[in-house]
């Protein structure tokens, strides 16, 4: 391999990744910033449960939609400008959120936030591909995903403390200021690729193979071709089924359920919910190792068990006489945390069953599954609360929450059925070739 394409100095690689992953932590903090202050938001905007759900639903919808143009923009301009723009959009969204006078403006703020958030994780993955040896990409992607979840802890603990010690404007203004700081850091320090590389290239230092990094999504034939492969559909339904319950719990409804529904204090609820993050960090490497060791048994060994455990534990919680013991709530958040690492198996399916030129398209299709299920779960819970006459915080109750969270069961059952169906079709497709 030419010395011109030698890997960059290690300190510079880690600097690029370090800024990127800290930016991703901040993006997760912004994404889940209503998780610890959802009740405060309901009071501030006089929002019923369905309206409160729309904050997260439309935010996730914009995030999913923006995956398409973000891939094209990353190919055209690289990670630095797109990530910096994403941070600016998140800052703008939080400024609007801090000053919003009514629900409509606040929902628009969350949509702006979702648009900015959509640029960060794909941008960090692109930095990994261009700055690190190609053979280390999978490990670095897993590490990025694990560390990024620390942003949920920030949203659950320091942010509510800051809000209650100061004001709504100060708390969300602080998030906006942090995003602006990272926009400047990314613009000044981050580079799309090492200076010795002429373009965004991925270099395998073991084999010397050099490939152009692409992330664009073909919105015409590519999506149709990707979806026609049962392996892509298996990836879609895997990502649809595994993480949505955890997303609904952590992004919006977990803390209100634990406090108003189960009688925990705000501090206790934050501690229990933080265990979700810790469990995900612990389980992530385990699931990754098992996925690599048993590539032909991922559905039955990792995906379906993670789904069944969530369904089983939630069923126990829903049937348990109120209030549920704290140990059971801890078991619940650990079970929900298993869905995050299991959802990453979906991207292994997408990568294994699609050619390199269609990988980003298949990844985008797969990613839509998880966010579609997440927004449906959040919306269904909010609607169920309103239908029961428990739409405002002072009317929240254990029974109302239990029936509301039961609306997740049809999503799980649909997902399980489709995973089994597409798994069988994928195996048949491979045997016929």
């Amino acid at each position: 391999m030419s010395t011109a394409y030698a890997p960059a100095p290690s300190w510079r690689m880690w600097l690029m990744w370090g800024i990127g992953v800290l930016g991703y932590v901040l993006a997760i903090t912004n994404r889940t910033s209503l998780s610890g202050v959802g009740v405060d938001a309901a009071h501030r905007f006089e929002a019923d449960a369905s309206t409160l759900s729309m904050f997260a639903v439309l935010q996730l919808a914009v995030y999913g939609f923006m995956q398409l143009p973000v891939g094209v923009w990353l190919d055209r301009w690289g990670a630095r400008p797109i990530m910096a723009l994403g941070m600016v959009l998140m800052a703008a969204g939080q400024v609007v959120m801090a000053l919003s006078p009514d629900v409509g403006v606040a929902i628009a703020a969350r949509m702006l936030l979702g648009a900015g958030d959509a640029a960060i994780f794909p941008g960090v993955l692109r930095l990994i591909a261009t700055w690190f040896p190609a053979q280390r990409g999978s490990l670095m992607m897993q590490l990025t995903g694990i560390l990024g979840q620390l942003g949920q802890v920030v949203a659950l603990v320091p942010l509510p403390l800051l809000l209650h010690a100061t004001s709504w404007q100060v708390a969300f203004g602080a998030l906006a200021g942090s995003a602006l700081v990272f926009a400047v850091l990314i613009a000044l320090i981050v580079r799309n690729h090492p200076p010795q590389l002429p373009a965004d290239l991925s270099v395998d230092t073991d084999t010397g193979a050099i490939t152009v990094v692409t992330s664009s999504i073909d919105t015409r034939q590519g999506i149709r071709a990707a979806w026609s492969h049962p392996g892509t559909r298996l990836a879609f339904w895997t990502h649809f089924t595994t993480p949505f319950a955890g997303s609904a719990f952590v992004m919006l409804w977990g803390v209100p359920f634990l406090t108003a529904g189960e009688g925990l204090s705000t501090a206790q609820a934050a501690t229990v919910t933080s265990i979700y993050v810790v469990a995900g960090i612990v389980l992530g490497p385990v699931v990754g190792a098992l996925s690599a060791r048993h590539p032909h048994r991922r559905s039955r060994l990792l995906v379906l068990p993670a789904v069944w455990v969530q369904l089983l534990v939630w069923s126990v919680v829903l049937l348990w006489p109120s209030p549920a013991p704290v140990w059971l709530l801890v078991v619940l958040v650990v079970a929900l945390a298993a869905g995050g690492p299991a959802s990453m198996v979906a991207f292994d399916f997408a990568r294994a069953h699609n050619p390199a030129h269609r990988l980003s398209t298949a990844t985008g299709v797969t990613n839509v599954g998880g966010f579609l299920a997440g927004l449906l779960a959040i919306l269904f819970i909010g609607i169920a609360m309103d239908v029961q006459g428990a739409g405002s915080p002072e009317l929240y109750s254990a029974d109302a929450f239990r029936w509301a969270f039961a609306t997740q069961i049809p999503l799980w059952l649909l997902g399980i059925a489709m995973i089994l169906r597409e798994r069988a079709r994928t195996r048949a497709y491979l045997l016929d070739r």
Side-chain angles (χ1 to χ4, degrees):
M1 182 175 64
S2 169
T3 56
Y5 290 171
S10 60
W11 67 267
R12 188 171 290 175
M13 290 192 306
W14 291 107
L15 177 63
M16 298 299 122
W17 178 77
I19 293 175
V21 78
L22 287 175
Y24 182 48
V25 170
L26 180 59
I28 295 290
T29 301
N30 280 279
R31 182 190 305 174
T32 59
S33 53
L34 290 182
S35 58
V37 298
V39 173
D40 300 87
H43 284 300
R44 177 177 177 82
F45 299 109
E46 298 180 351
D48 59 23
S50 297
T51 303
L52 191 61
S53 290
M54 294 305 295
F55 282 84
V57 166
L58 292 176
Q59 176 187 335
L60 291 178
V62 171
Y63 181 101
F65 174 80
M66 287 299 296
Q67 294 301 304
L68 301 177
V70 162
V72 176
W73 297 338
L74 283 171
D75 275 344
R76 182 171 299 176
W77 292 299
R80 179 174 65 159
I82 302 307
M83 291 180 67
L85 176 61
M87 287 292 175
V88 170
L89 288 175
M90 281 195 289
Q94 295 294 36
V95 167
V96 175
M97 191 68 178
L99 303 176
S100 54
D102 53 47
V103 169
V105 175
I107 290 177
R110 300 306 290 185
M111 295 172 68
L112 191 59
L113 177 66
D117 182 17
I120 306 305
F121 187 60
V124 179
L125 295 187
R126 191 176 183 92
L127 289 176
I128 291 172
T130 57
W131 280 89
F132 285 80
Q135 64 272 25
R136 293 168 64 181
S138 180
L139 172 63
M140 296 306 300
M141 181 181 71
Q142 289 185 21
L143 189 58
T144 299
I146 290 170
L147 293 177
Q149 302 314 307
L150 293 174
Q152 295 178 357
V153 178
V154 179
L156 286 167
V157 183
L159 181 61
L161 290 175
L162 177 62
L163 186 150
H164 296 146
T166 56
S167 67
W168 180 274
Q169 291 83 356
V170 170
F172 283 87
L175 289 176
S178 299
L180 281 179
V181 168
F182 267 89
V184 173
L185 283 176
I186 291 169
L188 292 179
I189 300 176
V190 170
R191 294 295 179 266
N192 290 339
H193 53 75
Q196 67 269 31
L197 296 182
D200 284 6
L201 304 174
S202 178
V203 181
D204 190 317
T205 54
D206 288 342
T207 65
I210 300 172
T211 56
V212 177
V213 177
T214 59
S215 57
S216 62
I217 297 176
D218 184 346
T219 59
R220 299 178 297 277
Q221 294 88 354
I223 293 178
R224 188 181 304 112
W227 184 255
S228 68
H229 195 298
T232 304
R233 298 196 297 272
L234 175 61
F236 174 91
W237 287 108
T238 296
H239 204 249
F240 179 97
T241 313
T242 46
F244 72 80
S247 298
F249 195 89
V250 172
M251 284 194 68
L252 191 61
W253 289 116
V255 171
F257 166 72
L258 293 173
T259 53
E262 295 299 321
L264 273 60
S265 67
T266 302
Q268 289 173 319
T271 301
V272 171
T273 311
S274 297
I275 294 173
Y276 172 92
V277 180
V278 176
I281 292 173
V282 173
L283 291 173
V286 176
V287 172
L290 290 174
S291 178
R293 185 173 299 179
H294 303 282
H296 302 295
R297 299 175 58 194
R298 290 166 174 157
S299 292
R300 293 193 179 276
L301 181 66
L302 299 173
V303 174
L304 289 173
V307 177
W308 282 115
V309 165
Q310 292 178 71
L311 177 55
L312 174 63
V313 178
W314 250 129
S315 298
V316 172
V317 172
L318 296 179
L319 294 172
W320 197 283
S322 182
V326 174
W327 66 263
L328 180 57
L329 298 175
V330 170
V331 172
L332 173 64
V333 296
V334 172
L336 295 178
S343 71
M344 299 302 290
V345 175
F347 298 105
D348 290 330
F349 290 148
R351 183 167 53 249
H353 297 295
N354 285 275
H357 70 271
R358 209 167 63 211
L359 178 58
S360 291
T361 303
T363 299
V365 170
T366 300
N367 211 20
V368 167
F371 286 98
L372 173 62
L375 67 86
L376 288 175
I378 292 170
L379 180 60
F380 289 168
I381 292 168
I383 292 174
M385 293 292 287
D386 280 345
V387 168
Q388 298 174 86
S392 57
E394 60 272 12
L395 298 176
Y396 290 168
S397 67
D399 288 341
F401 271 119
R402 288 164 192 265
W403 283 108
F405 278 109
T407 60
Q408 298 175 115
I409 294 176
L411 294 175
W412 274 313
L413 296 179
L414 171 64
I416 290 169
M418 296 307 296
I419 288 172
L420 292 173
R421 178 188 182 188
E422 298 303 338
R423 181 180 185 274
R425 290 185 171 186
T426 301
R427 291 173 67 86
Y429 179 89
L430 294 176
L431 289 174
D432 288 340
R433 297 192 65 181

